[in-house]
Amino acid sequence: MIQLSKPEAQKIALLSQGLCSPELKGVVAQRALSSIHQLGYVQIDTISVVQRAHHHVLWSRNHTYQPSYLDQLVANKDIFEYWSHAASYLPMKNFRYTLPRKHTFKSGQQKHWYKKDEALMSSVLNKIKHEGPLMAKDFESEVLKRTGWESKPTKQTLELLYMQGDLMITERRNFHKVYDLTERVLPDNADTTMPTTKEYGEFLALNYLKAHGIGTPSEMGYLLKSSKALIQQSLNELIESNKVEQVSVEKQTFYTTSGSLELLNKRLSRNRVHLLSPFDNAVIQRKRISQLFDFDYQLECYVPAAKRQFGYFCLPIIWSGELVGRADCRVEKSTSTLQVLNLFIEKALTDTDSFEEALTKELNAFAKFNRCTNYQIIYTRYSQGSL
C-alpha cells in the first residue's frame, strides 16, 4: 500500500477541488460549468450575509465568475437542481444518477418529511400540465399553524413531486423556485435510464474521488442514507479492476485513483489566499478537514450568539496549501462595505508580509464580488504581525 504524508494528501485534496491551482481558461460561463463537472455539485443555500454559497464556491475557483452565469447554465439545460447531500446544482450529464433516490421516494422505500396527499399531488400536477411552470405562490391553500414553521400543503406537495422526480425546477425568480413537468425541463438528449446497482455504486465512489482526490467510504456516502455498504462493495470491485487503489495517510486507509496520485507531480500555488464559503465542497465534511488539515471548524450561525467562539458566518481561509484561519464576514449594504467582524489566524506564519499582501488582495476581490466598494477589518486575533 502506498504511504502518503499528510501534506501530500492535502495537496491531492486541494488540487482535486480546483484550489491552489491556476484558474481555468476559456469562455467565462463555461469555466463555471467545468468547475461544477469537477466538483460534482454546488450546494444551494439561502443565507446571504455575503454572496450565497452556490455563487461563492464558483467564485473561489474563478474570480471572473458572475452570479448570472448559473442562471445561464440552468437555462441552457447544462445543470439542474436536485439533492446531493443537500439542495444543489448538479451537472445534467449526471441526471440518471439521481433516479435511484427519486425511486425510493416515489415507491415509499424512503419517507419524505412531508406526508403524501395523492389527490392533491394529482391536482398540482394537472394544474402545471395545463398552465405551464408555476411557483408555490400560484397555488391557493391554507396553512394549519401549530409551531410557526408549517408551509402551505400545496408547497409541500410541490416539494414531494420534485423529490420523487415528477417535477423539476426550471428556474428561480428572486430565489423562488419555478416548477415544471420533468419531461418539459430535461433536454432531448438527457439519459433517463435507471442505473444498475453496480453502476450507481461505482458512480458514488468515482464521482467523489474525482472531486476530492482521496476519501473513505463514509465520506463518499456523506448523508446518503444506506449507501456505505454499496460503496464499499463498489470500491472492492474497482480495486480488482485497477480503477481504484488504497493509500495510507498516518495509518488511516483512504481510496484514490492513479489520476489523483498524478497530482503530486503538479505544483501547488502557495501565494494566494482563498476565502471559502462554509458550504464549500472542500470543507463541508468537518470531520474530514479536521483529520486531513488539523482544522476544527463549525459554522456558528446555528449556535446561540452567547456561545459563539468566532462569529456568525466565518469563512475558512486557505494560505500556502493549508487551512490557517477564518474571517467572520458580512455585507453592510448602507455603506457598501464588506465588514470582517472578526479575523482569526490560527497558524504561526513565517512569512506574514506575503500573507497579509495576499489577504488584502483577496479581500478587495471578495468585496468587489459582493458589490462593495471597500472592506473593513474590525477585530483581528493574529499570531504574528498585524493587519
Side-chain angles (χ1 to χ4, degrees):
M1 185 184 299
I2 297 174
Q3 307 289 319
L4 295 179
S5 67
K6 186 170 283 189
E8 287 176 326
Q10 293 169 353
K11 181 178 183 179
I12 290 173
L14 291 173
L15 291 179
S16 296
Q17 280 286 297
L19 297 167
C20 301
S21 59
E23 290 193 355
L24 296 169
K25 304 297 182 182
V27 179
V28 286
Q30 289 304 306
R31 295 183 215 173
L33 180 59
S34 296
S35 290
I36 296 172
H37 282 165
Q38 176 62 29
L39 296 172
Y41 73 91
V42 174
Q43 183 174 337
I44 302 168
D45 197 74
T46 58
I47 298 176
S48 57
V49 290
V50 293
Q51 190 62 264
R52 288 190 171 101
H54 40 287
H55 298 308
H56 186 171
V57 168
L58 295 171
W59 176 85
S60 294
R61 287 143 178 89
N62 175 17
H63 280 9
T64 62
Y65 171 81
Q66 296 295 324
S68 61
Y69 297 161
L70 265 182
D71 292 336
Q72 180 180 333
L73 293 174
V74 171
N76 293 344
K77 301 187 177 184
D78 292 318
I79 62 175
F80 68 102
E81 284 195 37
Y82 196 63
W83 280 65
S84 53
H85 70 277
S88 302
Y89 288 107
L90 306 169
M92 188 64 77
K93 70 182 183 68
N94 292 342
F95 174 80
R96 67 188 293 248
Y97 296 106
T98 65
L99 297 178
R101 182 196 286 261
K102 291 172 180 175
H103 174 72
T104 64
F105 282 117
K106 194 158 192 173
S107 66
Q109 296 174 34
Q110 183 173 345
K111 298 295 183 183
H112 195 273
W113 44 93
Y114 297 140
K115 291 183 179 180
K116 289 186 177 183
D117 181 332
E118 297 291 349
L120 185 56
M121 292 169 74
S122 178
S123 174
V124 167
L125 278 175
N126 190 58
K127 183 177 175 68
I128 291 177
K129 179 180 179 180
H130 289 94
E131 297 184 22
L134 297 172
M135 294 186 284
K137 71 180 183 64
D138 297 317
F139 295 84
E140 294 184 5
S141 60
E142 293 184 2
V143 181
L144 181 60
K145 291 290 186 180
R146 292 190 181 93
T147 67
W149 290 96
E150 290 84 4
S151 56
K152 295 193 303 183
T154 48
K155 183 174 183 179
Q156 295 179 8
T157 296
L158 286 166
E159 281 298 290
L160 279 164
L161 291 166
Y162 158 71
M163 288 301 294
Q164 70 178 35
D166 295 295
L167 296 178
M168 290 180 68
I169 297 167
T170 186
E171 63 173 313
R172 285 189 180 236
R173 297 175 190 164
N174 296 323
F175 208 59
H176 295 290
K177 300 172 184 175
V178 181
Y179 300 86
D180 199 1
L181 301 181
T182 291
E183 57 265 31
R184 296 201 297 227
V185 177
L186 285 176
D188 294 337
N189 62 350
D191 187 348
T192 59
T193 57
M194 176 71 75
T196 64
T197 300
K198 176 180 171 62
E199 287 175 327
Y200 185 53
E202 287 189 356
F203 170 78
L204 292 178
L206 293 177
N207 196 51
Y208 184 90
L209 291 178
K210 176 184 178 183
H212 294 276
I214 65 171
T216 65
S218 61
E219 291 169 354
M220 297 174 200
Y222 178 60
L223 296 185
L224 295 176
K225 189 176 181 180
S226 304
S227 64
K228 187 174 180 180
L230 172 60
I231 290 171
Q232 184 62 69
Q233 179 183 343
S234 298
L235 287 169
N236 294 340
E237 294 172 356
L238 288 166
I239 288 175
E240 289 294 323
S241 60
N242 296 317
K243 294 180 180 178
V244 164
E245 54 189 294
Q246 291 180 312
V247 294
S248 177
V249 182
E250 295 190 347
K251 299 182 179 181
Q252 181 178 358
T253 298
F254 288 85
Y255 293 84
T256 190
T257 64
S258 58
S260 294
L261 290 173
E262 288 175 6
L263 293 174
L264 293 173
N265 299 320
K266 293 191 175 183
R267 178 172 295 182
L268 195 70
S269 175
R270 298 183 180 277
N271 59 0
R272 176 181 165 189
V273 163
H274 288 277
L275 296 173
L276 301 183
S277 166
F279 302 101
D280 194 287
N281 304 50
V283 297
I284 193 62
Q285 294 195 44
R286 315 306 192 202
K287 181 179 178 181
R288 173 182 168 88
I289 62 169
S290 177
Q291 291 176 333
L292 276 185
F293 290 90
D294 301 313
F295 187 78
D296 293 321
Y297 175 70
Q298 179 184 16
L299 177 58
E300 295 183 325
C301 61
Y302 306 114
V303 175
K307 295 183 178 181
R308 290 176 193 148
Q309 183 179 2
F310 298 105
Y312 180 82
F313 203 69
C314 280
L315 313 182
I317 301 172
I318 291 180
W319 162 252
S320 193
E322 299 181 65
L323 283 154
V324 300
R326 60 205 82 201
D328 181 26
C329 295
R330 76 173 183 189
V331 170
E332 178 52 61
K333 293 182 180 179
S334 63
T335 59
S336 296
T337 300
L338 173 69
Q339 292 185 333
V340 185
L341 303 175
N342 298 290
L343 175 64
F344 300 92
I345 306 301
E346 297 185 341
K347 185 179 177 63
L349 302 174
T350 57
D351 189 356
T352 55
D353 289 343
S354 295
F355 171 74
E356 291 172 10
E357 181 180 350
L359 180 62
T360 297
K361 183 177 180 180
E362 188 73 355
L363 285 172
N364 276 317
F366 192 56
K368 183 178 180 181
F369 176 59
N370 281 276
R371 298 181 179 179
C372 294
T373 57
N374 60 90
Y375 74 87
Q376 176 188 21
I377 298 175
I378 296 175
Y379 173 77
T380 303
R381 186 192 300 168
Y382 197 56
S383 59
Q384 296 182 30
S386 60
L387 295 180

